[in-house]
mmCIF file with all atom_site columns, all heavy atoms in Angstrom:
data_model
loop_
_atom_site.group_PDB
_atom_site.id
_atom_site.type_symbol
_atom_site.label_atom_id
_atom_site.label_alt_id
_atom_site.label_comp_id
_atom_site.label_asym_id
_atom_site.label_entity_id
_atom_site.label_seq_id
_atom_site.pdbx_PDB_ins_code
_atom_site.Cartn_x
_atom_site.Cartn_y
_atom_site.Cartn_z
_atom_site.occupancy
_atom_site.B_iso_or_equiv
_atom_site.pdbx_formal_charge
_atom_site.auth_seq_id
_atom_site.auth_comp_id
_atom_site.auth_asym_id
_atom_site.auth_atom_id
_atom_site.pdbx_PDB_model_num
ATOM 1  N N   . THR B 1 5  ? 31.197 129.527 -1.990  1.00 0.00 ? 31 THR B N   1
ATOM 2  C CA  . THR B 1 5  ? 31.852 128.658 -2.959  1.00 0.00 ? 31 THR B CA  1
ATOM 3  C C   . THR B 1 5  ? 30.867 127.610 -3.455  1.00 0.00 ? 31 THR B C   1
ATOM 4  O O   . THR B 1 5  ? 29.984 127.164 -2.710  1.00 0.00 ? 31 THR B O   1
ATOM 5  C CB  . THR B 1 5  ? 33.078 127.966 -2.346  1.00 0.00 ? 31 THR B CB  1
ATOM 6  O OG1 . THR B 1 5  ? 32.666 127.210 -1.198  1.00 0.00 ? 31 THR B OG1 1
ATOM 7  C CG2 . THR B 1 5  ? 34.120 128.991 -1.929  1.00 0.00 ? 31 THR B CG2 1
ATOM 8  N N   . GLN B 1 6  ? 31.052 127.226 -4.715  1.00 0.00 ? 32 GLN B N   1
ATOM 9  C CA  . GLN B 1 6  ? 30.196 126.209 -5.329  1.00 0.00 ? 32 GLN B CA  1
ATOM 10 C C   . GLN B 1 6  ? 31.049 125.204 -6.078  1.00 0.00 ? 32 GLN B C   1
ATOM 11 O O   . GLN B 1 6  ? 32.025 125.575 -6.731  1.00 0.00 ? 32 GLN B O   1
ATOM 12 C CB  . GLN B 1 6  ? 29.226 126.849 -6.336  1.00 0.00 ? 32 GLN B CB  1
ATOM 13 C CG  . GLN B 1 6  ? 28.157 127.720 -5.729  1.00 0.00 ? 32 GLN B CG  1
ATOM 14 C CD  . GLN B 1 6  ? 27.201 128.250 -6.776  1.00 0.00 ? 32 GLN B CD  1
ATOM 15 O OE1 . GLN B 1 6  ? 27.021 129.455 -6.910  1.00 0.00 ? 32 GLN B OE1 1
ATOM 16 N NE2 . GLN B 1 6  ? 26.559 127.362 -7.519  1.00 0.00 ? 32 GLN B NE2 1
ATOM 17 N N   . THR B 1 7  ? 30.668 123.943 -5.996  1.00 0.00 ? 33 THR B N   1
ATOM 18 C CA  . THR B 1 7  ? 31.292 122.907 -6.794  1.00 0.00 ? 33 THR B CA  1
ATOM 19 C C   . THR B 1 7  ? 30.233 121.945 -7.309  1.00 0.00 ? 33 THR B C   1
ATOM 20 O O   . THR B 1 7  ? 29.212 121.722 -6.647  1.00 0.00 ? 33 THR B O   1
ATOM 21 C CB  . THR B 1 7  ? 32.330 122.107 -5.970  1.00 0.00 ? 33 THR B CB  1
ATOM 22 O OG1 . THR B 1 7  ? 31.692 121.573 -4.816  1.00 0.00 ? 33 THR B OG1 1
ATOM 23 C CG2 . THR B 1 7  ? 33.509 122.973 -5.578  1.00 0.00 ? 33 THR B CG2 1
ATOM 24 N N   . PRO B 1 8  ? 30.409 121.393 -8.516  1.00 0.00 ? 34 PRO B N   1
ATOM 25 C CA  . PRO B 1 8  ? 31.474 121.699 -9.477  1.00 0.00 ? 34 PRO B CA  1
ATOM 26 C C   . PRO B 1 8  ? 31.171 122.986 -10.244 1.00 0.00 ? 34 PRO B C   1
ATOM 27 O O   . PRO B 1 8  ? 30.106 123.566 -10.079 1.00 0.00 ? 34 PRO B O   1
ATOM 28 C CB  . PRO B 1 8  ? 31.423 120.491 -10.407 1.00 0.00 ? 34 PRO B CB  1
ATOM 29 C CG  . PRO B 1 8  ? 29.968 120.117 -10.425 1.00 0.00 ? 34 PRO B CG  1
ATOM 30 C CD  . PRO B 1 8  ? 29.464 120.378 -9.031  1.00 0.00 ? 34 PRO B CD  1
ATOM 31 N N   . LYS B 1 9  ? 32.066 123.416 -11.089 1.00 0.00 ? 35 LYS B N   1
ATOM 32 C CA  . LYS B 1 9  ? 31.825 124.574 -11.953 1.00 0.00 ? 35 LYS B CA  1
ATOM 33 C C   . LYS B 1 9  ? 31.014 124.170 -13.168 1.00 0.00 ? 35 LYS B C   1
ATOM 34 O O   . LYS B 1 9  ? 30.206 124.946 -13.674 1.00 0.00 ? 35 LYS B O   1
ATOM 35 C CB  . LYS B 1 9  ? 33.140 125.197 -12.387 1.00 0.00 ? 35 LYS B CB  1
ATOM 36 C CG  . LYS B 1 9  ? 33.890 125.913 -11.275 1.00 0.00 ? 35 LYS B CG  1
ATOM 37 C CD  . LYS B 1 9  ? 35.116 126.612 -11.821 1.00 0.00 ? 35 LYS B CD  1
ATOM 38 C CE  . LYS B 1 9  ? 35.845 127.355 -10.702 1.00 0.00 ? 35 LYS B CE  1
ATOM 39 N NZ  . LYS B 1 9  ? 37.063 128.054 -11.197 1.00 0.00 ? 35 LYS B NZ  1
ATOM 40 N N   . PHE B 1 10 ? 31.273 122.986 -13.674 1.00 0.00 ? 36 PHE B N   1
ATOM 41 C CA  . PHE B 1 10 ? 30.556 122.472 -14.842 1.00 0.00 ? 36 PHE B CA  1
ATOM 42 C C   . PHE B 1 10 ? 30.175 121.015 -14.576 1.00 0.00 ? 36 PHE B C   1
ATOM 43 O O   . PHE B 1 10 ? 30.886 120.298 -13.884 1.00 0.00 ? 36 PHE B O   1
ATOM 44 C CB  . PHE B 1 10 ? 31.439 122.524 -16.103 1.00 0.00 ? 36 PHE B CB  1
ATOM 45 C CG  . PHE B 1 10 ? 31.941 123.885 -16.447 1.00 0.00 ? 36 PHE B CG  1
ATOM 46 C CD1 . PHE B 1 10 ? 33.201 124.296 -16.019 1.00 0.00 ? 36 PHE B CD1 1
ATOM 47 C CD2 . PHE B 1 10 ? 31.179 124.757 -17.196 1.00 0.00 ? 36 PHE B CD2 1
ATOM 48 C CE1 . PHE B 1 10 ? 33.673 125.556 -16.331 1.00 0.00 ? 36 PHE B CE1 1
ATOM 49 C CE2 . PHE B 1 10 ? 31.654 126.021 -17.513 1.00 0.00 ? 36 PHE B CE2 1
ATOM 50 C CZ  . PHE B 1 10 ? 32.897 126.426 -17.075 1.00 0.00 ? 36 PHE B CZ  1
ATOM 51 N N   . GLN B 1 11 ? 29.039 120.610 -15.143 1.00 0.00 ? 37 GLN B N   1
ATOM 52 C CA  . GLN B 1 11 ? 28.613 119.225 -15.005 1.00 0.00 ? 37 GLN B CA  1
ATOM 53 C C   . GLN B 1 11 ? 27.714 118.860 -16.166 1.00 0.00 ? 37 GLN B C   1
ATOM 54 O O   . GLN B 1 11 ? 26.841 119.643 -16.542 1.00 0.00 ? 37 GLN B O   1
ATOM 55 C CB  . GLN B 1 11 ? 27.868 119.016 -13.689 1.00 0.00 ? 37 GLN B CB  1
ATOM 56 C CG  . GLN B 1 11 ? 27.427 117.597 -13.413 1.00 0.00 ? 37 GLN B CG  1
ATOM 57 C CD  . GLN B 1 11 ? 28.595 116.681 -13.101 1.00 0.00 ? 37 GLN B CD  1
ATOM 58 O OE1 . GLN B 1 11 ? 29.448 116.988 -12.285 1.00 0.00 ? 37 GLN B OE1 1
ATOM 59 N NE2 . GLN B 1 11 ? 28.633 115.555 -13.785 1.00 0.00 ? 37 GLN B NE2 1
ATOM 60 N N   . VAL B 1 12 ? 27.930 117.667 -16.709 1.00 0.00 ? 38 VAL B N   1
ATOM 61 C CA  . VAL B 1 12 ? 27.048 117.130 -17.739 1.00 0.00 ? 38 VAL B CA  1
ATOM 62 C C   . VAL B 1 12 ? 26.434 115.848 -17.193 1.00 0.00 ? 38 VAL B C   1
ATOM 63 O O   . VAL B 1 12 ? 27.155 114.970 -16.714 1.00 0.00 ? 38 VAL B O   1
ATOM 64 C CB  . VAL B 1 12 ? 27.808 116.843 -19.056 1.00 0.00 ? 38 VAL B CB  1
ATOM 65 C CG1 . VAL B 1 12 ? 26.852 116.239 -20.080 1.00 0.00 ? 38 VAL B CG1 1
ATOM 66 C CG2 . VAL B 1 12 ? 28.444 118.112 -19.602 1.00 0.00 ? 38 VAL B CG2 1
ATOM 67 N N   . LEU B 1 13 ? 25.129 115.763 -17.263 1.00 0.00 ? 39 LEU B N   1
ATOM 68 C CA  . LEU B 1 13 ? 24.414 114.587 -16.769 1.00 0.00 ? 39 LEU B CA  1
ATOM 69 C C   . LEU B 1 13 ? 23.569 113.989 -17.887 1.00 0.00 ? 39 LEU B C   1
ATOM 70 O O   . LEU B 1 13 ? 23.155 114.701 -18.809 1.00 0.00 ? 39 LEU B O   1
ATOM 71 C CB  . LEU B 1 13 ? 23.480 114.961 -15.618 1.00 0.00 ? 39 LEU B CB  1
ATOM 72 C CG  . LEU B 1 13 ? 24.055 115.351 -14.273 1.00 0.00 ? 39 LEU B CG  1
ATOM 73 C CD1 . LEU B 1 13 ? 22.920 115.729 -13.327 1.00 0.00 ? 39 LEU B CD1 1
ATOM 74 C CD2 . LEU B 1 13 ? 24.891 114.235 -13.687 1.00 0.00 ? 39 LEU B CD2 1
ATOM 75 N N   . LYS B 1 14 ? 23.283 112.723 -17.772 1.00 0.00 ? 40 LYS B N   1
ATOM 76 C CA  . LYS B 1 14 ? 22.305 112.098 -18.652 1.00 0.00 ? 40 LYS B CA  1
ATOM 77 C C   . LYS B 1 14 ? 20.945 112.128 -17.945 1.00 0.00 ? 40 LYS B C   1
ATOM 78 O O   . LYS B 1 14 ? 20.851 112.105 -16.702 1.00 0.00 ? 40 LYS B O   1
ATOM 79 C CB  . LYS B 1 14 ? 22.704 110.658 -18.949 1.00 0.00 ? 40 LYS B CB  1
ATOM 80 C CG  . LYS B 1 14 ? 23.979 110.521 -19.762 1.00 0.00 ? 40 LYS B CG  1
ATOM 81 C CD  . LYS B 1 14 ? 24.222 109.069 -20.126 1.00 0.00 ? 40 LYS B CD  1
ATOM 82 C CE  . LYS B 1 14 ? 25.569 108.855 -20.771 1.00 0.00 ? 40 LYS B CE  1
ATOM 83 N NZ  . LYS B 1 14 ? 25.730 109.612 -22.013 1.00 0.00 ? 40 LYS B NZ  1
#
Side-chain angles (χ1 to χ4, degrees):
Chain B
T31 58
Q32 291 183 237
T33 56
K35 289 185 179 180
F36 302 95
Q37 182 71 49
V38 178
L39 290 178
K40 294 186 188 300

